[in-house]
Amino acid sequence: MRVNRILLSSALIVVALVIQVSVLARLHLPGAVPDLLLLTVLGLAMVYGHVGGALVGFGAGLLADLAPPADHAAGRYALVLCVIGYLAGLIKPDNGRLKSATGPMVVVVVAAIGTTLLYAGVGALVGDTAARHVGLGSLLFTAALYDLLLAPFVVPGIMALARRAENDPLADSNSQTKKADISTGWLSGGTGLRIGGQRGGLRGGLKVKAARVRTARAGRIKGVKRL
């Protein structure tokens, strides 16, 4: 990943995690907790693609696994967000821009349900049965509902910031493009002289000089005849 991608992703993930732990988790809403970290990963994945989405998801999940008050095995949420980021990055368009909001909203709902199922499935493999006591059905419904309500305020902004970072003039691709434009301008502008014009001017000057020489010779011949 590029340096600007790493810096932007790290800053957004840290801010999202702090808000989720210190604000959203303390709202004590029924069912699941709004997953701001998941929405951040989705927004970045839909701009960076499946590889970037997987890397961002893994880093975000690992940070969430290690941040207090985490009560599960480290790497559990990292695996879940890595898979979700990879799958979300597969719908990335060529120009990084989505034509409608329907696609991202569907992705948010599917990702919220998929994240809850994967997290509960991995927990069942390691002996964590907390999802059974809370009720998996209510968790799926509330997770999809909360994330869907929060997504319009988060995902478009995340994608806009990611696209702006991709167009950073300090990026390698843009700097190479600028160099190419400058070189093209030098080649097209040159020194302001045109080869065709130079040839025309030289030919015109030679013709004028030849005419003058002929006129002088004619005058000399006439003068000799008069004598």
Side-chain angles (χ1 to χ4, degrees), residues 72 74 96 133 224:
H72 54 269
H133 302 288
V224 172

Side-chain angles (χ1 to χ4, degrees), residues 37 47 59 82 93 102 114 128 131 145 164 179 205 221:
L37 194 62
V47 176
C82 180
T102 304
D128 186 1
L145 178 62
R164 183 174 297 180
K179 291 179 181 178
I221 293 173

Side-chain angles (χ1 to χ4, degrees), residues 100-138:
S100 65
T102 304
M105 294 300 101
V106 174
V107 172
V108 168
V109 174
V110 174
I113 297 175
T115 301
T116 305
L117 290 176
L118 285 175
Y119 188 80
V122 175
L125 292 176
V126 297
D128 186 1
T129 60
R132 297 180 182 178
H133 302 288
V134 177
L136 186 58
S138 62

Side-chain angles (χ1 to χ4, degrees), residues 99-192:
K99 296 181 180 180
S100 65
T102 304
M105 294 300 101
V106 174
V107 172
V108 168
V109 174
V110 174
I113 297 175
T115 301
T116 305
L117 290 176
L118 285 175
Y119 188 80
V122 175
L125 292 176
V126 297
D128 186 1
T129 60
R132 297 180 182 178
H133 302 288
V134 177
L136 186 58
S138 62
L139 283 177
L140 292 175
F141 176 76
T142 53
L145 178 62
Y146 296 155
D147 292 346
L148 186 61
L149 293 176
L150 190 60
F153 304 98
V154 178
V155 176
I158 296 295
M159 295 181 67
L161 289 175
R163 287 195 298 264
R164 183 174 297 180
E166 288 293 282
N167 296 327
D168 192 347
L170 298 179
D172 296 335
S173 60
N174 293 337
S175 62
Q176 291 176 359
T177 304
K178 285 189 173 184
K179 291 179 181 178
D181 294 339
I182 294 174
S183 61
T184 304
W186 276 104
L187 292 175
S188 61
T191 57

